[in-house]
Amino acid sequence: MSETPASSAPRYEDDIYEDAANWHVNTGDEKIHAKRVTGHWRKLKWFTHSVWLVFFLGPFLRWDGHQAVLFDIPGRQFHIFDLTILPQDVWMLSLVLLFFAMLLAAVTSIAGRVYCGFFCFQTIWTDVFTWIENRIEGVPAKRRKLEEGPWTGEKFRKLGFKWFLWLVISVLTGISFVSWFTDSLQLWKDLFTGQASGTAYFVVALFTVGTFVLAGRLREQACFWLCPYARIQGVMYDQETILPTYDFHRGEPRGRLKKGKVPEGQGDCIDCKQCVAVCPTGIDIRMGQQEGCITCSLCIDACDAVMEKIGKPKGLIRYASLDEMEGKKQLPLYKRPRPLIYLTILTLAFSGIIYGLTHLGSIELGVLHERAPLFVQLSDGSIQNKYRIKILNKTDKNFQVRITATGIDGMQLKGAEKPLTTRKGDDTSYTLYITPPASSIHDERTPITFTATNVADPTQQATYESMFFAPR
Amino acid sequence: MSDNINPHGQTTGHVWDETLAELTNQPPKWWMLGLHASWILVVLYTIYYPSWPLASSHFKGIAGWTAIGEYKQDLKEITDVRAPFEKKLKGMDAAAILGDNQLKEYVTRSAKVLFGDNCAACHGSGGQGNPGFPVLVDDDRLYGGQIGTIVQTISNGRHGMMPKMGGMQLKPEEIDKLANAIYNGTITKEPLFMAKGCVGCHGVNAKGNQALGSANLTDKIWRFKAEDQLASIKYTITHGVNDASDPKTRKAEMPAWQSRLTETQIKKLAVYVHELGGG
């Protein structure tokens, strides 16, 4: 701390302490009862929310006699329509994760927390839960009254009915989740006849409780204090990111309507607090960009409706960037480095996935060199190495594979004279020996390439690099 | 949490430095819930599982769980998987097992443990041999690599004998000559080989005799492999193998296993050794 005398100009400390005094942080002391709103963004939200219907209905989709999408963990197989992905190909999952992580970053950099506001399960389940609450208990004022009031028959009935509906949704959520990992139709039968596995019951129970607590009770508190993504948004935003923004140039100084009109010298904001009333996280958008804003855009709908009524242009709260607020010119997307970098990574990840899916192959070959001993001297003085090979047949039919090896001139491959049989969807192992003529061994180690070729379809091939060891 | 407030500012009486005080706050509600849930769980656990010591025994728990019981159950699962194979093996001889690809696979995998327990101490974990103990992965077998012979070798053991040739029988320079000839692979051209009776066991062509277990002297495999191979050969000629009359003789005895292993185990090991590479 410096000892310089205070000047007449406002000091930085004064600013931040004033900020702190006025800043209300939502720590869950008060339950947020948001008003339901209608409008353009509300409609869009219902539309984007409905994406999650796939979560409920997806497991019932059948394909070629089995569940179309099934993540069979005990069987170690992922079925996605015609594709079967074995654990060996799960490296693609990392690319899928990379793709979505980058997509999230790219979208956030361009248009803010689109995921939070429009696609996140926490937002959506909370939205549906509060919609039910609103239908049963009425508008926010009534809800608050009911909440504070004594336990009357009416309260009991309303809350009971609400909780029952919430519970139904929660249970459905749990069952739908499990349905992705086991046959959905069988699961429904088993669950209600007591035949399902303990794991299934446990996971359904876990998701039921989780859904009920997260969407029914924690709600926006999860976004504030549980969700890590809410916390990293700051590094994904920049000056050019468009967000629901209160246009303070136009709005300030705010003040109430007088005789149904905005008085002279006053901004367009009539301080009706509708934007606060409809906010599901209970923030005031007029205080600027903040952690609690999930960019659900409902305040835009609320404000637009008010502006329309008082005969002012819409868009006092609108999607705008910080640059726009400061009067700078907005760069087009293709000139902004961030979106371009994200796009590059997205393209790479996507190409990787496409490559992986189109090159799944039907054979995989593994070769294990015998370690004890590394090599054996035979009676004629030649050196023999032993290899254990594993042929993974990824198809659903048994087939014959021819094994060849290259690397040393004139070497003999014993044990693969005839084509070898591989079992469908399984590893088959064989033992092979390699004996090269002494004259062609020059080094202690010589690379050897094994190739497995499907006899019926020579385009199906797999290779594996191994070593030939010889004494010094 | 919001319930963690002490409106009266009461302290436990412990105040330091005037302002640093220990307040009589209740622990947070979630924490108390956790505490109660924990001890309830402990009580339930001790009812469900074996727990309390009693005068002469202990409380067994209502679930009847025991560690040995769990172990036995796990073991049974494995035995059940193996049972069909083991049942088939009983009625088959080793040669028939070799002919059945699936059984051969089963045996070569499962006998690895048997080999490790009984054979690896001398022959090495992979059958690579040890100084003085034969290599099982090469293509040379003193008594022959037929499956039947291997079964015999394991069952009855082997106790081959080569008489010492040092002292009375051969002069040091003769031993030198013979050893060098063996070392250089020219033993059949060495007149001493004929003259001194080596041919009796090692054969006219010096390729050994599998019925006796005498070594092939023309190949590149040494029964007693050493850094200085020539010296090792001289030693063997001088002191013989398993010759009771020479205290410095080479000891080369394979014990009989039929009293220690069951017939099925011997069959399995024979197949395993056969598949090691020699054959």
Side-chain angles (χ1 to χ4, degrees):
Chain A
M1 282 287 171
S2 66
E3 294 288 317
T4 47
S7 68
S8 56
R11 289 184 312 164
Y12 172 67
E13 297 98 288
D14 295 338
D15 269 4
I16 53 171
Y17 289 125
E18 195 190 322
D19 241 14
N22 293 331
W23 195 263
H24 171 69
V25 178
N26 179 352
T27 53
D29 300 336
E30 190 193 352
K31 187 163 182 179
I32 306 293
H33 283 292
K35 185 174 158 184
R36 304 293 298 186
V37 65
T38 52
H40 169 65
W41 291 101
R42 178 67 258 182
K43 266 188 220 137
L44 182 66
K45 262 171 79 74
W46 279 126
F47 184 70
T48 57
H49 290 5
S50 61
V51 166
W52 278 91
L53 287 176
V54 173
F55 171 76
F56 290 99
L57 302 177
F60 293 105
L61 209 58
R62 313 296 290 187
W63 186 269
D64 211 7
H66 63 81
Q67 190 164 322
V69 181
L70 180 65
F71 303 107
D72 181 1
I73 291 176
R76 296 184 188 86
Q77 285 184 342
F78 288 179
H79 299 283
I80 303 170
F81 294 98
D82 251 353
L83 283 174
T84 300
I85 299 177
L86 296 178
Q88 284 80 358
D89 297 312
V90 166
W91 59 269
M92 274 185 283
L93 184 66
S94 59
L95 286 185
V96 173
L97 294 178
L98 176 72
F99 180 83
F100 281 108
M102 279 303 127
L103 188 65
L104 201 67
V107 170
T108 309
S109 152
I110 295 167
R113 291 163 67 178
V114 172
Y115 173 72
C116 290
F118 295 89
F119 294 98
C120 177
F121 45 84
Q122 176 64 22
T123 304
I124 293 168
W125 264 250
T126 303
D127 194 47
V128 172
F129 274 37
T130 43
W131 178 77
I132 291 172
E133 198 168 57
N134 195 63
R135 295 302 295 246
I136 294 174
E137 298 174 8
V139 295
K142 281 192 185 167
R143 275 186 259 162
R144 267 189 215 103
K145 209 173 145 196
L146 191 71
E147 192 176 76
E148 283 154 16
W151 276 95
T152 59
E154 191 202 5
K155 181 172 178 174
F156 199 79
R157 189 173 51 77
K158 281 186 171 172
L159 260 60
F161 186 44
K162 176 180 81 175
W163 284 337
F164 171 72
L165 290 183
W166 284 4
L167 193 68
V168 169
I169 295 178
S170 302
V171 171
L172 281 178
T173 306
I175 297 178
S176 298
F177 179 80
V178 177
S179 297
W180 291 89
F181 299 92
T182 178
D183 189 285
S184 54
L185 301 176
Q186 192 63 39
L187 177 73
W188 275 92
K189 245 178 264 163
D190 288 350
L191 276 177
F192 291 102
T193 52
Q195 304 282 309
S197 68
T199 317
Y201 283 115
F202 178 74
V203 176
V204 170
L206 196 73
F207 271 73
T208 304
V209 173
T211 309
F212 200 91
V213 170
L214 280 168
R217 181 158 166 77
L218 280 179
R219 297 190 176 172
E220 87 288 346
Q221 292 298 306
C223 307
F224 269 96
W225 314 115
L226 271 183
C227 180
Y229 176 55
R231 292 301 174 109
I232 56 170
Q233 61 161 335
V235 292
M236 294 184 176
Y237 282 175
D238 53 27
Q239 298 268 322
E240 290 141 336
T241 308
I242 54 167
L243 302 162
T245 307
Y246 166 64
D247 187 347
F248 57 92
H249 298 300
R250 214 187 107 188
E252 300 295 318
R254 66 183 82 151
R256 288 172 169 264
L257 281 180
K258 299 235 171 72
K259 294 173 192 155
K261 282 205 170 141
V262 179
E264 203 64 28
Q266 203 170 290
D268 280 355
C269 176
I270 58 166
D271 209 9
C272 63
K273 294 203 166 70
Q274 282 302 300
C275 51
V276 182
V278 299
C279 180
T281 66
I283 61 161
D284 186 347
I285 190 71
R286 295 173 301 172
M287 294 174 87
Q289 198 192 97
Q290 54 196 289
E291 186 221 347
C293 179
I294 57 169
T295 76
C296 70
S297 308
L298 291 176
C299 50
I300 303 183
D301 273 347
C303 191
D304 279 351
V306 172
M307 288 297 119
E308 200 168 2
K309 273 182 203 136
I310 64 168
K312 294 276 178 188
K314 289 181 182 180
L316 179 59
I317 303 175
R318 64 174 184 277
Y319 262 98
S321 69
L322 216 56
D323 273 355
E324 189 188 330
M325 280 296 127
E326 288 171 359
K328 286 190 206 155
K329 206 169 167 273
Q330 184 93 349
L331 278 174
L333 268 182
Y334 61 85
K335 282 189 182 166
R336 287 160 55 184
R338 269 208 214 199
L340 289 181
I341 292 168
Y342 289 140
L343 185 69
T344 314
I345 303 174
L346 280 176
T347 317
L348 287 177
F350 191 68
S351 323
I353 297 164
I354 295 299
Y355 174 84
L357 288 180
T358 49
H359 290 73
L360 276 176
S362 44
I363 312 178
E364 211 160 277
L365 181 66
V367 178
L368 210 64
H369 190 284
E370 173 69 40
R371 286 185 299 172
L374 281 173
F375 51 81
V376 177
Q377 190 187 40
L378 300 184
S379 50
D380 62 357
S382 61
I383 301 299
Q384 176 179 276
N385 276 206
K386 183 179 178 183
Y387 301 86
R388 186 141 196 98
I389 64 160
K390 278 189 169 186
I391 312 162
L392 173 66
N393 175 347
K394 296 194 203 170
T395 68
D396 51 5
K397 286 185 190 71
N398 294 346
F399 59 73
Q400 303 263 302
V401 167
R402 187 179 298 286
I403 306 286
T404 50
T406 54
I408 303 178
D409 287 338
M411 69 185 186
Q412 281 200 322
L413 182 64
K414 275 199 284 178
E417 292 81 4
K418 280 184 277 177
L420 306 173
T421 308
T422 59
R423 291 188 297 271
K424 56 181 178 181
D426 198 6
D427 262 328
T428 322
S429 44
Y430 291 96
T431 308
L432 303 181
Y433 302 91
I434 285 186
T435 327
S439 59
S440 25
I441 305 172
H442 307 296
D443 297 306
E444 215 177 316
R445 302 152 138 246
T446 319
I448 299 269
T449 309
F450 287 87
T451 308
T453 314
N454 185 347
V455 174
D457 178 4
T459 58
Q460 296 179 351
Q461 266 193 353
T463 58
Y464 196 93
E465 293 264 337
S466 187
M467 277 289 171
F468 183 88
F469 289 81
R472 242 177 291 207
Chain B
M1 284 254 151
S2 50
D3 54 5
N4 204 2
I5 291 164
N6 189 339
H8 311 299
Q10 281 163 346
T11 72
T12 55
H14 301 157
V15 182
W16 300 269
D17 297 344
E18 291 165 26
T19 51
L20 190 60
E22 191 178 19
L23 300 182
T24 56
N25 281 339
Q26 277 293 309
K29 201 189 288 167
W30 65 265
W31 191 90
M32 289 304 290
L33 285 173
L35 177 74
H36 292 303
S38 307
W39 71 255
I40 291 169
L41 197 72
V42 169
V43 171
L44 292 178
Y45 188 95
T46 59
I47 295 171
Y48 193 75
Y49 285 113
S51 47
W52 306 109
L54 303 175
S56 60
S57 171
H58 63 276
F59 176 62
K60 300 282 191 296
I62 57 168
W65 181 91
T66 56
I68 189 73
E70 188 170 300
Y71 162 74
K72 279 179 179 161
Q73 201 182 343
D74 289 353
L75 194 65
K76 192 179 171 301
E77 274 170 35
I78 299 168
T79 341
D80 285 350
V81 173
R82 291 179 178 170
F85 294 106
E86 294 289 337
K87 207 174 147 195
K88 259 200 207 166
L89 285 179
K90 278 237 164 78
M92 294 170 85
D93 67 358
I97 298 170
L98 266 184
D100 184 324
N101 224 345
Q102 204 189 2
L103 273 182
K104 188 174 84 179
E105 184 74 18
Y106 167 75
V107 167
T108 43
R109 279 171 188 235
S110 60
K112 200 175 162 80
V113 181
L114 272 177
F115 187 85
D117 287 350
N118 298 295
C119 318
C122 297
H123 292 289
S125 61
Q128 73 271 38
N130 268 320
F133 299 100
V135 176
L136 300 181
V137 284
D138 60 22
D139 60 345
D140 177 60
R141 295 279 159 89
L142 286 174
Y143 293 89
Q146 302 80 4
I147 184 75
T149 323
I150 299 176
V151 172
Q152 282 220 333
T153 304
I154 301 173
S155 307
N156 305 322
R158 293 291 181 186
H159 194 253
M161 195 272 205
M162 164 166 166
K164 63 165 187 166
M165 302 298 283
M168 306 292 279
Q169 276 88 351
L170 291 173
K171 293 190 211 79
E173 55 270 26
E174 288 172 328
I175 292 177
D176 264 9
K177 266 191 184 171
L178 278 168
N180 272 303
I182 294 169
Y183 186 68
N184 297 323
T186 55
I187 185 65
T188 44
K189 295 183 189 110
E190 174 56 54
L192 280 170
F193 180 63
M194 235 13 163
K196 293 295 174 182
C198 309
V199 288
C201 292
H202 291 286
V204 182
N205 54 10
K207 287 198 184 299
N209 182 347
Q210 293 190 336
L212 298 170
S214 58
N216 182 343
L217 302 179
T218 59
D219 66 8
K220 297 286 170 53
I221 295 198
W222 305 110
R223 170 66 184 84
F224 299 101
K225 200 174 165 74
E227 287 282 306
D228 185 352
Q229 195 57 50
L230 191 57
S232 170
I233 298 169
K234 283 181 197 167
Y235 190 97
T236 312
I237 300 174
T238 312
H239 299 290
V241 180
N242 291 334
D243 185 341
S245 67
D246 187 338
K248 288 166 92 178
T249 191
R250 286 197 187 273
K251 296 243 179 349
E253 183 181 351
M254 157 109 181
W257 290 90
Q258 58 189 1
S259 56
R260 287 185 243 187
L261 297 175
T262 66
E263 206 189 318
T264 314
Q265 283 175 320
I266 290 175
K267 273 191 287 192
K268 281 184 177 179
L269 279 172
V271 170
Y272 183 81
V273 170
H274 184 270
E275 288 304 294
L276 272 178

